[in-house]
Amino acid sequence: MIETQQLTKKYGDLVAIQDLSFRVEEGRIWGLLGPNAAGKTTTMRILTGYLPATAGRASVAGYDVFEQSEAVKQSIGYLPETVPLYPEMTVESYLGFVAEIKRVPASRKKAAIDRAVQIAGLQPVRKRLIRNISRGFKQRTGIAQALIHNPRVVILDEPTIGLDPAQIKEIRDLIKSFKGEHTVMLSSHILAEVKEVCDGVVIINEGRLMASGSLEELARSYSQNDGVYLKLDRVDGEILGLFRQQLPGLKAAAVEGTEIRLEWPWGQDLRTQILRSCLERNLEIKEMRSLAMNIEELYLRIVSGGMKQ
Amino acid sequence: MSPVWSITKKELVSYFTSPIAYIVIAIFSLLSGFFFYSLVWWFNTQALQMSQNPYYFQQININQMVFAPLFHNLSIILLLMLPVVSMRLFSEEKKMGTEELLLTSPVSVIQIILGKYLAALIVLLAMLGLSAIPTILTFIYGNPEPVPYLLGYLGLFLLGAAFLGLGIFWSALTENQIVSAVLTFGSLLLFWVLSWAAYSARGLWQDVLNYLSFFEHFDGLTKGVLDTSDLVYYLSFAFFGLFLTHSVIQFRRWR
């Protein structure tokens, strides 16, 4: 649904993105991650037809971004980082204007506004001037304009930036509801958000692709085994031998400080058996946490160019 | 609905929900009313004095004594006020980040420029239309020639359209409205003084400078002379402004 091949953008001598190739399947929600100035906004601007690329190809909804720019623009709903609002308009008249420039037929304009208002939860502020509504509602209005023509692809640049925690949750829930209906690409700094909302990520740094895939695939490719850290009320010399004996799938077991590290190949899950073994030995489990890198660790390792294991 | 008209409507909402359009129209009407009143008062005084002498009385011409100077005064007021009308057209979009919405919509850059330009022309028409109301009274109480009167207003409209063409270009270059207005005003002033420079120039230079000056082309229209070269001048000036605007927007995206 969204595909780029060797996409490159240079501003004079400055390389904003270099040879970026990735693919997002239809109906999925994909995150575009990267530190500041990584090239996230530039990538989104190229996909939306706002900026031309220096080299490479990009297609959205089956249309070439550079050859069929108008069809691409018709298929995309875009929320730029700065929410594009006209403060002097009411929410309703603003959505009406966007519907007109997005070529929604006059006969369907009212229904399109009603639908966008309903999806984005804008009923309470529908008739109010945009300058008088809260930041959260402004963000929702920005998302509503991106959905007004029921596009196949929705591109959201930092959709929760500057919002309070309650508003962030509302917007995340809203984006999650798009799954299956729209293909979504969103950029974010907030890793927890990406983990919660997205099916997969494209991670870029200094304009180059660092990694791309579902979070699980990335976690797998950056660590050989799945596993847990286990903290018990006591650690004796026999415990490792016991685990090795009772957990045939175990690939590695070691004591690290006060914790025991247990690893097994991806695809298995020995957690229930670990619990059972501990109960049999009357060992009290104080803590059990996944060995797989959390998204922050994963991100930092990928962005810093850390080697895959 | 045509995207051009959608953008025009949106621009008109912006003009008329902010004080700008009201202030510009009100001040223009006030000043034009003042000039008109002063000229009519002066015309009456002159007419009374000249009525003593039948020869001079025949020379009295309201078009020449009231409307021609009025149109010249109004042309200067337009030069001062239209930069305020054009300054926000693109500067505001860039500042508010809404330019990204327009340029990622299935609307061409030409349609965006035309939509905005049309809205500014409608504001110009409102300014001229309101200022014309008191002058219509002269047709009730006197007998001015309608052709020079109408051509004078046509000239003001064309002059304003050319000013706005230059203004929209400057507004596409900067996100600061004040900078946009000052650059528009400065460049309009430059075209105005070209005719002064023409006095001291000789030969081809004199012709070129005269041709480029806004007001050389305006004179004929206020006297009731419709010369197609004047029309071509104003229309090509406005078109050139819009063309440059288009080039600036495309250049910024493609650089």
Side-chain angles (χ1 to χ4, degrees), chain B residues 62-109:
Chain B
I62 191 166
N63 286 85
Q64 285 305 310
M65 294 175 73
V66 174
F67 288 123
L70 176 68
F71 291 140
H72 277 105
N73 291 343
L74 292 186
S75 68
I76 305 300
I77 307 173
L78 283 182
L79 185 145
L80 296 169
M81 306 211 77
L82 287 181
V84 179
V85 174
S86 63
M87 68 181 185
R88 51 166 298 286
L89 286 170
F90 276 100
S91 304
E92 180 87 343
E93 302 275 4
K94 272 196 285 189
K95 194 175 172 192
M96 301 299 291
T98 44
E99 189 187 46
E100 221 166 327
L101 167 71
L102 296 180
L103 294 175
T104 56
S105 298
V107 182
S108 68
V109 175

Side-chain angles (χ1 to χ4, degrees), chain A residues 262-278:
Chain A
L262 301 172
E263 293 181 33
W264 56 83
W266 284 101
Q268 293 184 30
D269 195 347
L270 303 185
R271 267 169 268 237
T272 317
Q273 287 154 273
I274 292 169
L275 276 174
R276 209 171 283 138
S277 298
C278 290

Side-chain angles (χ1 to χ4, degrees), chain A residues 45 49-50 52 78 86 88 100, chain B residues 6 14 93 100 103 106 253:
Chain A
R45 284 179 165 175
Y50 181 67
Y78 175 42
Y86 296 104
E88 67 276 9
E100 285 172 15
Chain B
S6 300
S14 297
E93 302 275 4
E100 221 166 327
L103 294 175
R253 296 167 74 196

Side-chain angles (χ1 to χ4, degrees), chain B:
Chain B
M1 184 177 291
S2 149
V4 173
W5 183 238
S6 300
I7 289 168
T8 302
K9 271 193 322 180
K10 191 273 293 176
E11 289 300 323
L12 288 174
V13 167
S14 297
Y15 273 127
F16 287 97
T17 49
S18 74
I20 287 184
Y22 297 106
I23 289 175
V24 166
I25 292 172
I27 291 181
F28 186 77
S29 302
L30 192 76
L31 289 173
S32 71
F34 169 76
F35 283 121
F36 177 66
Y37 174 80
S38 305
L39 286 163
V40 169
W41 186 84
W42 176 78
F43 173 78
N44 275 340
T45 317
Q46 293 292 307
L48 271 175
Q49 285 174 2
M50 290 176 172
S51 62
Q52 314 294 321
N53 185 326
Y55 172 75
Y56 287 124
F57 193 66
Q58 283 181 349
Q59 308 294 312
I60 288 177
N61 180 324
I62 191 166
N63 286 85
Q64 285 305 310
M65 294 175 73
V66 174
F67 288 123
L70 176 68
F71 291 140
H72 277 105
N73 291 343
L74 292 186
S75 68
I76 305 300
I77 307 173
L78 283 182
L79 185 145
L80 296 169
M81 306 211 77
L82 287 181
V84 179
V85 174
S86 63
M87 68 181 185
R88 51 166 298 286
L89 286 170
F90 276 100
S91 304
E92 180 87 343
E93 302 275 4
K94 272 196 285 189
K95 194 175 172 192
M96 301 299 291
T98 44
E99 189 187 46
E100 221 166 327
L101 167 71
L102 296 180
L103 294 175
T104 56
S105 298
V107 182
S108 68
V109 175
I110 293 173
Q111 287 172 323
I112 296 169
I113 294 170
L114 286 180
K116 286 175 170 288
Y117 185 62
L118 192 59
L121 288 183
I122 291 172
V123 174
L124 170 65
L125 274 179
M127 290 165 74
L128 295 178
L130 279 175
S131 78
I133 292 172
T135 63
I136 292 167
L137 294 175
T138 53
F139 286 90
I140 298 169
Y141 297 106
N143 56 347
E145 293 171 57
V147 173
Y149 172 84
L150 291 174
L151 284 181
Y153 268 105
L154 174 70
L156 282 176
F157 178 74
L158 291 171
L159 193 70
F163 289 175
L164 290 171
L166 196 64
I168 197 170
F169 160 68
W170 285 119
S171 83
L173 274 176
T174 171
E175 66 176 47
N176 186 317
Q177 294 191 31
I178 304 296
V179 171
S180 159
V182 170
L183 286 171
T184 309
F185 176 66
S187 47
L188 290 178
L189 218 51
L190 191 70
F191 276 99
W192 185 29
V193 300
L194 281 180
S195 56
W196 301 351
Y199 285 124
S200 52
R202 289 285 170 271
L204 182 68
W205 273 111
Q206 187 172 34
D207 294 339
V208 170
L209 291 174
N210 261 331
Y211 184 78
L212 286 176
S213 167
F214 283 129
F215 297 99
E216 283 300 308
H217 296 270
F218 189 57
D219 261 347
L221 289 163
T222 61
K223 289 172 184 154
V225 181
L226 181 62
D227 188 334
T228 44
S229 76
D230 297 335
L231 292 183
V232 168
Y233 170 82
Y234 287 123
L235 293 178
S236 52
F237 201 99
F239 174 80
F240 189 60
L242 300 185
F243 170 76
L244 285 181
T245 310
H246 185 262
S247 307
V248 164
I249 293 170
Q250 294 293 43
F251 173 76
R252 244 195 358 253
R253 296 167 74 196
W254 283 89
R255 77 190 157 171

